[in-house]
Every structure is written in structure tokens, then in C-alpha cells.
């Protein structure tokens, strides 16, 4: 199983980035993928998740309305579109696969589920 996050970088406050999580080595359509971030000195936070079964999505309150998670099951890739970025978004961003098969459903129930494989992170920096 491999997950690789990419797309991080340096943006100005108010700017946007799109992160990608390319996955391989497992049945992508049956699991959920979560995006996490960890800032220096802070605990890791799950910011969004998506069920690859039915594309149901969930977001942390800290990013709701600014971040959008999506997936392309034909490319085994999950995206995180991040808009109106601010200093509070500076962190290393990771993607991770659920340990259990995801059952889908609305509202999405993928936030906080156990994850068993993590990709290397990608740094997001917001600075003027």
C-alpha cells in the first residue's frame, strides 16, 4: 500500500492550493481517505475525509467552507482544494487510508475512523 501526498507550497494569505493524494496497492474504491495536518507544536488534526464508495464527505469545523475534498476513482487519487488560506493553515498535510472497508452513507461517517496507512506529507506554508 502506498499513498503519496503532493501539491504543497508557499502561498500568500488568501491564496489557494490543491493537494493530491495518489494511492496504490489496495482496492481504492472500498475505503475512505482522510486528509490530516500537523503544525509545529500542535496535535495532528483530521481536516477532511471522503468515502470512495459513494463520495460522501466530511470536514472539520476549522476548514468548512474553505476546503473541498474530492476523488477520482479512475486515477486512484483524492484531492484537497484549499481556498482562502491563512496562517492557521500552515502545516504538513498527510493523507491516510481507512483500516476498515468504508460503508459510505450520508452524512459521511469517515471522520475519526482508524487509519492504517499514511503517506509522506506535503508542506503548506502561508506567508506574505
Amino acid at each position: 500500500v502506498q499513498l503519496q501526498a503532493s501539491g504543497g507550497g508557499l502561498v500568500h494569505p488568501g491564496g489557494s492550493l490543491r493537494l493530491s493524494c495518489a494511492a496504490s496497492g489496495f482496492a481504492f474504491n472500498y475505503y475512505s481517505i482522510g486528509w490530516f495536518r500537523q503544525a509545529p507544536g500542535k496535535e495532528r488534526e483530521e481536516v477532511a475525509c471522503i468515502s470512495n464508495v459513494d463520495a460522501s464527505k466530511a470536514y472539520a469545523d476549522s476548514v468548512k467552507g474553505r476546503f473541498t475534498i474530492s476523488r477520482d476513482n479512475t486515477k486512484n487519487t483524492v484531492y484537497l482544494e484549499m481556498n482562502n488560506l491563512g496562517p492557521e493553515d500552515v502545516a504538513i498535510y498527510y493523507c491516510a487510508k481507512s483500516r476498515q472497508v468504508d460503508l459510505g452513507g450520508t452524512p459521511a461517517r469517515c471522520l475519526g475512523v482508524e487509519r492504517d496507512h499514511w503517506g509522506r506529507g506535503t508542506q503548506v506554508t502561508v506567508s506574505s
Side-chain angles (χ1 to χ4, degrees):
V1 174
Q2 288 192 334
L3 297 135
Q4 180 63 55
S6 62
L10 171 65
V11 295
H12 294 307
S16 299
L17 281 174
R18 188 177 83 154
L19 306 183
S20 298
C21 174
S24 61
F26 63 99
F28 185 77
N29 292 14
Y30 290 95
Y31 295 87
S32 72
I33 300 292
W35 277 103
F36 294 75
R37 65 186 181 186
Q38 188 161 22
K42 294 189 177 180
E43 292 189 357
R44 185 173 63 201
E45 174 189 22
E46 185 172 16
V47 298
C49 65
I50 187 166
S51 166
N52 288 344
V53 174
D54 62 3
S56 55
K57 308 167 187 180
Y59 299 92
D61 288 343
S62 58
V63 306
K64 206 171 288 184
R66 300 187 299 122
F67 289 13
T68 302
I69 191 170
S70 62
R71 95 289 193 239
D72 185 338
N73 283 12
T74 67
K75 296 181 179 180
N76 283 13
T77 300
V78 172
Y79 304 98
L80 186 68
E81 182 77 31
M82 307 186 295
N83 297 314
N84 194 23
L85 287 163
E88 69 277 15
D89 300 311
V90 174
I92 299 174
Y93 285 71
Y94 303 86
C95 56
K97 164 192 165 291
S98 62
R99 179 179 295 277
Q100 303 292 335
V101 169
D102 184 84
L103 300 179
T106 301
R109 292 168 288 187
C110 50
L111 275 180
V113 301
E114 188 178 4
R115 306 283 172 184
D116 63 351
H117 287 89
W118 297 76
R120 290 186 180 179
T122 186
Q123 176 72 49
V124 171
T125 302
V126 183
S127 176
S128 55

